[in-house]
Amino acid sequence: MGKVAIVTGGSRGIGAAISKALKAAGHTVVATYAGNDEKANAFKDDTGIPVYKWDVSSFEACCEGIAKVEAEHGPVEILVNNAGITKDAMFHKMTPEHWQAVIGTNLSGLFNMTRPVWEGMRERNFGRIINISSINGQKGQAGQANYSAAKAGDLGFTKALALEGAKKGITVNAICPGYINTDMMATISDDVMQKHILPQIPVGRLGEADEIARCVVFLASDDAGFITGSTLSANGGQYMD
């Protein structure tokens, strides 16, 4: 039986693939976005998946947005915390604004989105929370102290919350994608790709957004009820923990 799912940052890139895959699996899917109205509406027209605009770094905006979603679609039973931003800079050039923006969206956003749905999941004795972290939260990355810290924090959040949700039928898991073939990666020159990126990946290619989406569909399913507090690394063997 299909469930109501929210995918943050769900209208572009990996998030769009997740939204479409969950819909194909029979769920009622809502995608949130923060900025690009044109692309979000094009996604809605193309997929039939409704889109809602709010900033996940704002707790008040998340509470208001989730209340609207639940009023229109029903209680949220699956939450995919995918929304993320980057503000890359070497640490000696990183500003407080760079730091706060990334922590606000990529880490605090998990609290802001999960807290409003948590009590309902506890009352219904069911919930699926899937947090999209990153390989760089596992291994670190120069120029991304803010991003790596936030994504590592996502993993700690996942493990702690999994312990709290287990007896209430709520599973909480994380996925750490490696280099994925998205619009962001398309901006990298072929020379850099061939010399510096692909040699780091044992399978010899970038991942595809659909491959991450399939991981989410599984973790959101009833079949994954015994999996909680786990980190699924989807990186082609680039980092093994």
Side-chain angles (χ1 to χ4, degrees):
M1 182 177 177
K3 300 174 174 64
V4 176
I6 292 182
V7 181
T8 65
S11 64
R12 299 177 65 183
I14 292 173
I18 292 169
S19 295
K20 290 186 282 188
L22 286 171
K23 181 181 180 182
H27 300 297
T28 298
V29 181
V30 166
T32 79
Y33 72 103
N36 195 317
D37 296 322
E38 182 179 353
K39 289 194 174 181
N41 287 321
F43 172 81
K44 176 184 176 182
D45 293 341
D46 182 53
T47 64
I49 295 172
V51 294
Y52 291 75
K53 185 178 183 179
W54 72 75
D55 179 1
V56 299
S57 71
S58 165
F59 181 67
E60 292 74 17
C62 291
C63 289
E64 292 173 7
I66 289 168
K68 184 175 181 181
V69 168
E70 293 196 322
E72 296 177 0
H73 301 281
V76 174
E77 296 168 289
I78 299 169
L79 171 62
V80 183
N81 286 309
N82 168 74
I85 63 171
T86 57
K87 298 284 185 181
D88 295 352
M90 296 303 287
F91 192 68
H92 64 282
K93 295 183 178 180
M94 187 171 287
T95 67
E97 290 74 24
H98 289 147
W99 178 268
Q100 295 295 344
V102 171
I103 296 296
T105 295
N106 298 13
L107 180 56
S108 297
L110 271 64
F111 173 87
N112 296 338
M113 284 296 303
T114 306
R115 184 64 182 83
V117 303
W118 187 250
E119 290 180 37
M121 289 180 175
R122 283 173 48 85
E123 290 169 3
R124 294 186 298 274
N125 290 299
F126 181 87
R128 294 286 186 266
I129 297 170
I130 299 133
N131 301 316
I132 308 301
S133 180
S134 168
I135 186 175
N136 291 342
Q138 296 174 299
K139 72 176 186 60
Q141 178 64 41
Q144 288 194 325
N146 49 4
Y147 184 84
S148 295
K151 291 301 187 179
D154 293 348
L155 300 182
F157 176 86
T158 296
K159 293 174 184 179
L161 204 59
L163 293 173
E164 294 190 26
K167 290 184 178 180
K168 289 293 186 178
I170 306 168
T171 65
V172 188
N173 292 290
I175 299 171
C176 286
Y179 286 112
I180 306 300
N181 187 20
T182 61
D183 290 345
M184 184 173 67
M185 293 302 296
T187 64
I188 297 173
S189 71
D190 185 64
D191 183 62
V192 170
M193 182 68 67
Q194 296 299 326
K195 290 183 178 179
H196 300 288
I197 293 178
L198 293 181
Q200 299 179 44
I201 306 172
V203 302
R205 65 173 177 85
L206 300 178
E208 297 295 335
D210 288 343
E211 293 178 299
I212 306 303
R214 288 193 289 271
C215 296
V216 171
V217 170
F218 171 65
L219 291 174
S221 72
D222 291 339
D223 291 339
F226 198 59
I227 301 173
T228 194
S230 293
T231 300
L232 178 54
S233 296
N235 59 39
Q238 184 179 353
Y239 182 80
M240 302 181 191
D241 186 8

